[in-house]
Amino acid sequence: KVTIPVADIPRSVDFYTRLGLIHIVDGRAGYARFEYPDGDSTFSLHRVSPAPAGPLGNSASLATARSTEGSTV
């Protein structure tokens, strides 16, 4: 499972649905989950405020993402 921070859940749900992910948990409460079309993996969005800076958030977010690669969170 992968979870990323986003500022706008509805807009992000629309984006990832257009990419072909299957929306399985509603995003109105600040969280949304998707399944990949093939396989058992899931992908989640978690609302944050303010919006993360840059394409992957701030450098601390990128460092956290790198430090948790391969972990089961």
Side-chain angles (χ1 to χ4, degrees):
K1 175 179 148 178
V2 173
T3 302
I4 63 166
V6 298
D8 188 332
I9 292 284
R11 183 174 172 196
S12 298
V13 165
D14 181 59
F15 175 78
Y16 288 105
T17 301
R18 289 173 187 249
L19 288 179
L21 279 72
I22 302 161
H23 187 201
I24 59 172
V25 175
D26 193 7
R28 285 182 261 169
Y31 175 84
R33 182 178 287 178
F34 302 86
E35 281 184 332
Y36 291 95
D38 48 346
D40 296 338
S41 299
T42 62
F43 176 80
S44 302
L45 306 173
H46 175 72
R47 185 179 59 221
V48 295
S49 181
L56 292 175
N58 61 32
S59 59
S61 296
L62 180 57
T64 300
R66 286 185 178 149
S67 70
T68 59
E69 285 179 359
S71 68
T72 55
V73 179

